[in-house]
Amino acid sequence: MPIQTNVLLSKLRTAGYSLFSGVPCSHFADLFDKAAREPGLLAIPAANEGSAVALAAGAVLSGRRAVVALQNSGFGNIINPLTSLLMVSEIPVLLLLSVRGHPDEPADEPQHTIMGAKTMALLDLLSIEWCDFDGTDTGVDRAIARSDELFRKGAPFALLFRSDQLASCNAVKPPPSMIDYGLSVGEVIDSICKQIASDTLIISTSGFISRELFRVWDRPLNLYIQGSLGHCSAVAAGVALTAPARTVLALDGDGSVLMHMGALSTIGYASPNNLIHVVLDNEGYVSTGGQLSTSRTSSLNAVASACGYRTAALCKRSDHLIAVTQQCLRTSGPHFIVCKVNRQHPPRLPRVTSRYSPLQNKTTFQQALHNGGSEPAQAW
Ligand SMILES: Cc1ncc(C[n+]2csc(CCOP(=O)(O)OP(=O)(O)O)c2C)c(N)n1
């Protein structure tokens, strides 16, 4: 039996939780939106799970109770602040941890396999007490009561959620301004793919953006990064720096680029002149249900420019995007293009994994890269 998101949030409020942060998961489709509307709860979307934990720690230091919601793929992002700040200093937070890829569940996407099987073991290894949510109201009460006891001892507690355990899993309705952007992700990818040379290497980020590239122009020179959220641009920069004769296109999302924004500084410093970094900015986490990101209040192109990219542009219209892409193709990079996009995708967007495992995609990409380039092949 699922529990209503509202019920969960009101129980947390009653127990004294007044700060909510985290990074979404599709298991938490409306949790972030409802938390933002919950009276008395300060709900702040974080760019990275680690910063959500740190934000929560700050709130606890000033006397609040804080809860952080995250997917188990973001567990790796919190291990450092959890162990080296919260646990050693006895700053307690409650974690709502969604579990993707658990071996008991129907097969999930391959990027979840290892973390799905190891989440509980990792929590045990770190001596973090946890319990599996049983889907009932009393299950929440019990978890909150146990978290209360651990709060008094300064220890964290994790409540684990599986799919369909939160009832109102409706897609979040974005404010109208976001729907108004003329271009869709598919249209932007189509437009750019029509302009680039056929041997351009494309590295795309997790979720719908990779699935759109796969739908629009699947080819061996595409590397679809379906996990490792936020690392697409660094992988692309690594390829660009070591295969300087090739043009490399990174197709990133706003949630993704925000998650590891330090990569922009690395790229500006290393300055691969053959890199074009495109951010498809729909101002939210559309792949996990459309929760808001913080990109609306951040000028990503200004950040890229300040980090040392040679050019940085903001596009909202097709003709401008074409002109900017042409300019990027004619001149030395690294280039950065933020393209504001709406949230429309075709129904039944195909999954990359319907055709390739991550290993097959990597092998095909690597072979295609070496066949078309001047660098010697190194297979592993
Ligand atoms: C470290 C980590 N945290 C959370 C997730 C869950 N997740 C998968 S795709 C996604 C949304 C990415 O948003 P964005 O880059 O803006 O692309 P969009 O989905 O909006 O196209 C999230 C949060 C994840 N895969 N990894």
Side-chain angles (χ1 to χ4, degrees):
M1 269 292 288
I3 184 177
Q4 294 285 335
T5 310
N6 287 341
V7 175
L8 172 66
L9 288 168
S10 89
K11 283 179 182 294
L12 288 169
R13 278 293 302 124
T14 309
Y17 288 85
S18 60
L19 183 120
F20 172 96
S21 189
V23 177
C25 168
S26 50
H27 290 5
F28 293 143
D30 69 345
L31 180 66
F32 286 70
D33 183 47
K34 293 268 166 57
R37 294 168 199 214
E38 181 74 20
L41 195 63
L42 181 59
I44 310 289
N48 178 296
E49 292 84 354
S51 31
V53 162
L55 196 73
V60 173
L61 289 174
S62 62
R64 306 284 197 103
R65 287 208 168 179
V67 52
V68 171
L70 71 158
Q71 184 180 91
N72 56 344
S73 32
F75 190 44
N77 285 339
I78 72 169
I79 287 179
N80 176 248
L82 196 61
T83 54
S84 68
L85 170 65
L86 273 69
M87 292 173 78
V88 291
S89 310
E90 300 188 0
I91 302 171
V93 294
L94 172 60
L95 303 172
L96 306 179
L97 184 58
S98 70
V99 180
R100 295 282 307 262
H102 192 277
D104 284 355
E105 304 229 4
D108 204 334
E109 290 286 288
Q111 67 270 21
H112 295 294
T113 311
I114 294 173
M115 186 52 95
K118 299 292 180 199
T119 300
M120 285 100 164
L122 278 171
L123 287 163
D124 289 339
L125 196 64
L126 295 171
S127 305
I128 296 169
E129 193 172 318
W130 58 274
C131 83
D132 252 330
F133 178 48
D134 65 3
T136 65
D137 285 23
T138 49
V140 175
D141 295 336
R142 272 196 306 276
I144 289 178
R146 184 62 191 141
S147 180
D148 270 3
E149 287 166 15
L150 291 168
F151 250 80
R152 283 190 280 278
K153 294 183 190 160
F157 181 69
L159 180 58
L160 273 49
F161 287 82
R162 304 293 185 91
S163 55
D164 302 325
Q165 284 195 316
L166 281 178
S168 349
C169 290
N170 305 319
V172 179
K173 299 249 180 317
S177 62
M178 298 184 198
I179 303 165
D180 287 349
Y181 293 124
L183 289 164
S184 67
V185 170
E187 285 164 349
V188 171
I189 293 177
D190 188 54
S191 166
I192 294 174
C193 287
K194 283 184 174 134
Q195 296 176 69
I196 56 180
S198 61
D199 65 348
T200 302
L201 303 163
I202 309 182
I203 298 173
S204 56
T205 185
S206 213
F208 288 177
I209 291 171
S210 272
R211 291 169 66 179
E212 283 281 13
L213 174 64
F214 178 65
R215 175 181 74 82
V216 171
W217 197 27
D218 177 38
R219 61 210 258 281
L221 291 169
N222 294 352
L223 183 69
Y224 307 100
I225 301 193
Q226 283 295 41
S228 228
L229 191 65
H231 292 300
C232 151
S233 63
V235 174
V239 174
L241 287 164
T242 51
R246 313 293 291 272
T247 300
V248 181
L249 174 68
L251 291 178
D252 218 344
D254 51 297
S256 165
V257 78
L258 286 163
M259 181 161 278
H260 292 297
M261 204 144 72
L264 301 191
S265 180
T266 308
I267 292 169
Y269 177 87
S271 203
N273 62 16
N274 51 339
L275 178 70
I276 303 175
H277 184 178
V278 175
V279 177
L280 297 143
D281 181 5
N282 51 26
E283 301 177 358
Y285 301 98
V286 170
S287 306
T288 52
Q291 304 87 348
L292 294 181
S293 75
T294 53
S295 78
R296 266 219 293 179
T297 49
S298 299
S299 173
L300 295 174
N301 48 307
V303 174
S305 191
C307 283
Y309 280 65
R310 206 149 282 160
T311 70
L314 173 67
C315 298
K316 295 181 184 173
R317 294 186 332 267
S318 174
D319 54 345
H320 186 213
L321 174 67
I322 291 171
V324 167
T325 309
Q326 286 299 322
Q327 179 72 13
C328 292
L329 291 169
R330 276 197 302 270
T331 55
S332 276
H335 300 291
F336 192 80
I337 308 174
V338 183
C339 197
K340 288 286 184 181
V341 288
N342 60 43
R343 296 173 168 215
Q344 287 158 24
H345 292 279
R348 289 179 295 283
L349 205 49
R351 287 186 183 276
V352 175
T353 46
S354 65
R355 190 166 303 158
Y356 313 108
S357 69
L359 176 60
Q360 284 166 334
N361 181 210
K362 180 215 79 168
T363 307
T364 312
F365 175 81
Q366 210 177 10
Q367 280 165 354
L369 191 166
H370 291 301
N371 290 341
S374 51
E375 319 293 322
Q378 170 89 260
W380 61 87

